């Protein structure tokens, strides 16, 4: 009888947990939410940071079952409202990204660095950035970046900075295709995804970084 009661209690706990998770799953972070609304859904962030565009909250969620963790990034604009949301799954055994949201394999293996190439230091990158910024037309900007890609490697932060100089997604994708093979830290691809506002654009950027 005692064993039966224990099994019954366990079953009830599982049912209650399932219902609780189901309710939580229906509460999604959406664009335009305030910080208080996000905290009601996700709780207090593990880490916070900020840049010139706003604040970034990071969450690390570990499920009760399964050998993986979910890393969530919530981006707030200067108005303290949600402007973007990213979620990636990390394998507990390999500590490698399983996917960006529902898309697998968005973090490609780091390229083998050719001794003939070098990652631009901050001073050299500033020179390139200013030349691209001051160019009169996008076609001239493309040419400058293409030439730079012949002999330089870049980190994701540098790539993101150049992408921000272009207004349209198609132009950003063109630049990303040129620079993707020259990225030395693909594990920091979130810096690049952050440049794009729409989920479909983020997915396309993930395809480019993955060589698809």
């Amino acid at each position: 009888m005692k064993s039966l009661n224990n099994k019954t209690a366990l079953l009830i706990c599982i049912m209650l947990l399932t219902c609780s998770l189901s309710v939580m799953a229906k509460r999604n972070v959406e664009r335009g939410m305030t910080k208080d609304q996000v905290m009601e859904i996700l709780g207090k962030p593990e880490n916070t940071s900020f840049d010139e565009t706003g604040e970034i909250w990071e969450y690390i969620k570990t499920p009760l079952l399964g050998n993986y963790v979910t890393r969530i990034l919530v981006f707030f604009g200067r108005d303290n409202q949600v402007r973007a949301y990213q979620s990636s799954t990390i394998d507990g055994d390999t500590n490698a990204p399983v996917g960006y949201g529902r898309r697998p394999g968005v973090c490609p293996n780091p390229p083998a660095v050719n001794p003939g190439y070098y990652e631009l230091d901050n001073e050299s990158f500033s020179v390139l950035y200013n030349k691209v910024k001051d160019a009169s037309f996008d076609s001239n900007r493309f040419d400058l970046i293409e030439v730079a890609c012949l002999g330089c490697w870049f980190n994701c932060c540098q790539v993101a900075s150049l992408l921000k100089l272009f207004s349209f997604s198609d132009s950003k994708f063109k630049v990303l295709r040129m620079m993707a093979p020259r990225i030395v830290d693909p594990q920091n691809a979130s810096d690049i995804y952050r440049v794009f506002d729409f989920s479909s654009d983020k997915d396309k950027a993930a395809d480019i970084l993955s060589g698809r």
Side-chain angles (χ1 to χ4, degrees):
M1 180 65 69
K2 184 176 181 181
S3 176
L4 180 60
N5 289 337
N6 289 340
K7 290 181 179 179
T8 302
L10 178 60
L11 179 60
I12 293 174
C13 289
I14 292 175
M15 292 176 63
L16 290 174
L17 178 60
T18 302
C19 292
S20 176
L21 292 176
S22 177
V23 172
M24 290 178 62
K26 295 179 180 178
R27 303 180 63 195
N28 298 321
V29 175
E30 298 178 356
R31 191 188 305 273
M33 282 187 171
T34 64
K35 292 181 177 180
D36 288 340
Q37 290 174 317
V38 172
M39 289 188 68
E40 288 179 1
I41 298 173
L42 297 177
K44 186 178 179 180
E46 277 75 15
N47 298 293
T48 62
S49 59
F50 64 90
D51 58 20
E52 68 278 3
T53 62
E55 195 168 349
I56 307 168
W57 286 7
E58 180 184 36
Y59 294 87
I60 304 296
K61 300 294 184 181
T62 304
L64 295 177
L65 300 176
N67 189 28
Y68 64 90
V69 297
T70 299
R71 179 173 183 256
I72 298 172
L73 295 176
V74 183
F75 302 89
F76 295 92
R78 293 183 178 180
D79 57 0
N80 290 325
Q81 294 183 347
V82 174
R83 62 180 179 84
Y85 173 95
Q86 293 180 7
S87 174
S88 58
T89 303
I90 309 298
D91 188 291
D93 292 327
T94 63
N95 200 33
V98 175
Y100 166 77
R102 295 185 298 275
R103 179 177 292 279
V106 301
C107 186
N109 294 326
V113 178
N114 187 313
Y117 296 131
Y118 64 94
E119 178 185 349
L120 280 183
D121 56 49
N122 291 335
E123 183 177 353
S124 299
F125 177 74
S126 294
V127 174
L128 172 63
Y129 177 88
N130 289 328
K131 285 183 177 295
V132 175
K133 181 180 178 182
D134 294 340
S136 302
F137 304 100
D138 280 357
S139 58
N140 295 333
R141 293 177 174 179
F142 294 146
D143 290 341
L144 288 169
I145 293 173
E146 186 175 12
V147 170
C149 288
L150 294 176
C152 303
W153 290 70
F154 307 88
N155 59 49
C156 286
C157 183
Q158 292 172 340
V159 174
S161 296
L162 290 175
L163 292 179
K164 291 177 182 177
L165 295 177
F166 296 86
S167 302
F168 300 104
S169 294
D170 287 345
S171 297
K172 293 177 182 178
F173 292 142
K174 183 173 181 177
V175 172
L176 185 57
R177 288 190 184 94
M178 287 190 284
M179 303 189 73
R182 295 289 181 260
I183 292 176
V184 299
D185 60 340
Q187 69 274 12
N188 295 320
S190 59
D191 290 337
I192 295 174
Y193 298 139
R194 199 179 306 164
V195 175
F196 300 93
D197 293 326
F198 301 105
S199 178
S200 58
D201 286 348
K202 295 178 190 292
D203 286 343
K204 188 169 182 179
D207 286 342
I208 294 173
L209 290 174
S210 299
R212 292 195 289 267

